[in-house]
Amino acid sequence: AQSVTQLGSHVSVSEGALVLLRCNYSSSVPPYLFWYVQYPNQGLQLLLKYTTGATLVKGINGFEAEFKKSETSFHLTKPSAHMSDAAEYFCAVGPSGTYKYIFGTGTRLKVLA
Amino acid sequence: EAGVAQSPRYKIIEKRQSVAFWCNPISGHATLYWYQQILGQGPKLLIQFQNNGVVDDSQLPKDRFSAERLKGVDSTLKIQPAKLEDSAVYLCASSPGTGTGELFFGEGSRLTVL
């Protein structure tokens, strides 16, 4: 069985500050891990993914995430927040080679001017 | 490349009425998914199609929900009769079915049941 936990349903950061959104997962098999972003009234868009190989994954819009197996974590970071980063972010986990993904409950990021 | 198309974007109905949502996936994508996203929650998979066959419908409330993908391209999700707790955004997604693991989502259909 798999599950994913996103700590913090709402996160506020100042413009230019570090963004850190937390995701912990459980999986009995090697997982695929994803971060998706959802802007208001839009569908989900892939930010980045980990499947195999390098554990530090770079995505779009300056975001990156690191797969830490020992901590069962896949936290999302961005060095400097922009106003346009305000959105809801979802972490997802699935068994490698399948598309049976479990999504977290989401973290709404607010960027303060 | 055109994205995943969904309609209608918004629908308001009374409980016990019926509603249908339509999805056209990205051209060539063999796999199509319907997700339910209730306010404050992450998307939950309702049904997955591979071409025109059902791969997984274990979380589809079959007493009221039905879905089809007759020609292996577009798909319809129907709810009959609707309940208040069906108020949600219904997201359609597609994937090529091999390799990348990425899902491509449509903008969703927001259902309000009164």
Side-chain angles (χ1 to χ4, degrees), chain A residues 32 34 36 38 41-46 49 51 88 90 98-106 108, chain B residues 9-10 33 35 37 40-43 48 56 91 95 97-103 105-107 110:
Chain A
Y32 281 4
F34 303 83
Y36 282 84
Q38 187 176 33
N41 297 316
Q42 295 187 26
L44 281 71
Q45 177 186 2
L46 182 69
K49 62 184 179 184
T51 54
E88 190 152 24
F90 292 92
T98 78
Y99 289 83
K100 294 184 183 297
Y101 301 139
I102 303 296
F103 283 85
T105 53
R108 188 170 297 278
Chain B
R9 288 295 313 277
Y10 305 92
Y33 314 76
Y35 283 84
Q37 186 179 17
Q41 299 181 21
Q48 176 185 347
D56 184 353
L91 293 166
S95 68
T98 58
T100 68
E102 179 179 357
L103 301 180
F105 284 86
E107 293 184 322
R110 182 179 297 276

Side-chain angles (χ1 to χ4, degrees), chain A residues 24-106:
Chain A
N24 287 88
Y25 71 92
S26 68
S27 178
S28 56
V29 298
Y32 281 4
L33 293 158
F34 303 83
W35 277 99
Y36 282 84
V37 61
Q38 187 176 33
Y39 298 102
N41 297 316
Q42 295 187 26
L44 281 71
Q45 177 186 2
L46 182 69
L47 269 181
L48 48 80
K49 62 184 179 184
Y50 169 79
T51 54
T52 59
T55 56
L56 181 62
V57 180
K58 295 186 184 299
I60 62 172
N61 301 337
F63 285 92
E64 63 181 36
E66 186 171 10
F67 169 56
K68 292 188 176 180
K69 185 177 179 181
S70 61
E71 300 178 7
T72 61
S73 69
F74 192 58
H75 300 332
L76 181 71
T77 61
K78 181 174 180 178
S80 176
H82 293 174
M83 298 298 289
S84 60
D85 294 328
E88 190 152 24
Y89 293 80
F90 292 92
C91 182
V93 62
S96 57
T98 78
Y99 289 83
K100 294 184 183 297
Y101 301 139
I102 303 296
F103 283 85
T105 53

Side-chain angles (χ1 to χ4, degrees), chain B residues 23-95:
Chain B
C23 171
N24 191 36
I26 291 174
S27 177
H29 280 194
T31 311
L32 184 149
Y33 314 76
W34 284 101
Y35 283 84
Q36 181 191 56
Q37 186 179 17
I38 293 173
L39 187 65
Q41 299 181 21
K44 183 185 82 171
L45 179 67
L46 292 176
I47 189 167
Q48 176 185 347
F49 291 95
Q50 178 77 16
N51 296 310
N52 61 351
V54 175
V55 174
D56 184 353
D57 64 356
S58 58
Q59 298 193 86
L60 186 74
K62 298 180 186 65
D63 57 334
R64 298 182 300 105
F65 285 65
S66 64
E68 60 184 13
R69 193 185 184 198
L70 292 176
K71 296 182 179 179
V73 180
D74 56 351
S75 175
T76 302
L77 175 71
K78 296 179 181 178
I79 307 174
Q80 181 179 14
K83 292 186 175 181
L84 296 178
E85 58 261 36
D86 298 332
S87 294
V89 177
Y90 291 87
L91 293 166
C92 180
S94 68
S95 68

